């Protein structure tokens, strides 16, 4: 991108007289640097806010989970997965990794609720669309399967289908913008297949 911008600046310098080209070049590079700094600072602000939300979710989870959460699967509900391009929690690997790091327990699993939830007889299927890859994951009902509602800061156990259906029927709808991180310029979303 820098080389393309410098080539365009170089081409644009042909409009100036030879005496003014060095001043115009310095001004154009200064404007390019200022724009780059503004863009980086703006994007950095989103990531800073996303990190704050991550800390808030993890703090609430630590307060809600039992002292020894060994073997639990935590489904995160009630928070948007992104703040602009900044990622809060979007998938099983980021939330699961955070929980495993906090508790130093590789048996912990963490997953983020997606719009594609299927309640089956023996468990829940959460389907994530990452670009053009569809990834359904099955989570069996058990006392160790829990949903953490980040809005209410409450933990709900899902030991069976009846309890799971009751939870999902009573949960308020969360309005989040479509996911877009690392998909700039592509016709895609992590949770929605190509149209």
């Amino acid at each position: 991108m820098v080389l393309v911008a410098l080539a365009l600046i170089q081409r644009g310098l042909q409009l100036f007289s030879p005496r003014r080209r060095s001043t115009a070049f310095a001004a154009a590079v200064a404007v390019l640097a200022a724009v780059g700094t503004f863009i980086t600072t703006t994007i950095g602000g989103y990531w800073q806010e996303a990190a704050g939300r991550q800390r808030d979710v993890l703090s609430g989870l630590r307060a809600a989970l039992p002292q020894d959460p060994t073997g639990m699967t935590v489904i995160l509900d009630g928070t948007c997965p992104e703040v602009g391009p900044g990622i809060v929690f979007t998938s099983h690997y980021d939330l699961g990794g955070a929980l495993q790091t906090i508790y130093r327990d590789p048996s912990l699993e963490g997953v983020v609720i997606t719009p594609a939830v299927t309640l089956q007889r023996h468990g829940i299927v959460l389907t994530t669309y990452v670009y053009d890859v569809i990834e359904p994951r099955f989570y069996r009902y058990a006392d160790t399967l829990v949903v953490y509602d980040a809005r209410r800061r409450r933990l709900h156990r899902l030991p069976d289908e009846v309890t799971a259906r009751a939870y999902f029927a009573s949960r308020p709808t969360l309005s989040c913008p479509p996911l877009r991180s690392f998909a700039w310029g592509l016709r895609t979303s992590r949770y929605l297949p190509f149209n």
Side-chain angles (χ1 to χ4, degrees):
M1 290 300 293
V2 171
L3 292 176
V4 169
L6 288 175
L8 290 173
I9 289 171
Q10 194 67 16
R11 183 72 173 150
L13 290 177
Q14 302 303 316
L15 300 172
F16 293 92
S17 67
R19 266 179 10 145
R20 296 183 184 237
R21 284 185 185 158
S22 63
T23 305
F25 179 76
V29 169
V31 167
L32 183 64
V35 168
T37 301
F38 175 74
I39 291 170
T40 301
T41 304
T42 302
I43 291 173
Y46 285 117
W47 282 91
Q48 183 178 8
E49 186 178 343
R53 288 193 189 176
Q54 281 181 346
R55 284 190 298 275
D56 186 49
V57 166
L58 290 173
S59 170
L61 258 171
R62 287 186 81 176
L65 284 173
Q67 201 68 0
D68 180 20
T70 300
M72 291 188 103
T73 299
V74 178
I75 300 173
L76 176 61
D77 189 16
T79 185
C80 289
E82 293 178 336
V83 177
I87 295 171
V88 180
F89 290 112
T90 59
S91 188
H92 61 279
Y93 51 83
D94 50 8
L95 179 61
L99 290 173
Q100 290 172 5
T101 301
I102 289 170
Y103 287 98
R104 297 184 178 159
D105 183 355
S107 71
L108 274 171
E109 284 189 76
V111 64
V112 180
I113 201 86
T114 67
V117 177
T118 306
L119 301 177
Q120 296 183 350
R121 186 170 174 214
H122 298 291
I124 297 173
V125 176
L126 295 173
T127 303
T128 303
Y129 297 93
V130 182
Y131 302 119
D132 59 347
V133 178
I134 299 171
E135 186 179 356
R137 292 179 147 251
F138 179 77
Y139 300 94
R140 187 170 293 285
Y141 297 126
D143 283 335
T144 55
L145 179 65
V146 296
V147 174
Y148 175 68
D149 184 351
R151 288 170 287 199
R152 297 179 184 139
R153 293 183 167 258
R154 293 190 54 203
L155 202 65
H156 304 272
R157 291 190 184 274
L158 301 179
D160 53 42
E161 182 185 9
V162 173
T163 309
R165 288 197 183 279
Y167 172 78
F168 283 98
S170 69
R171 74 187 263 265
T173 304
L174 184 64
S175 177
C176 295
L179 287 179
R180 62 189 187 128
S181 65
F182 303 114
W184 302 322
L186 300 176
R187 287 185 11 196
T188 185
S189 166
R190 286 196 175 157
Y191 293 146
L192 302 175
F194 291 103
N195 293 331

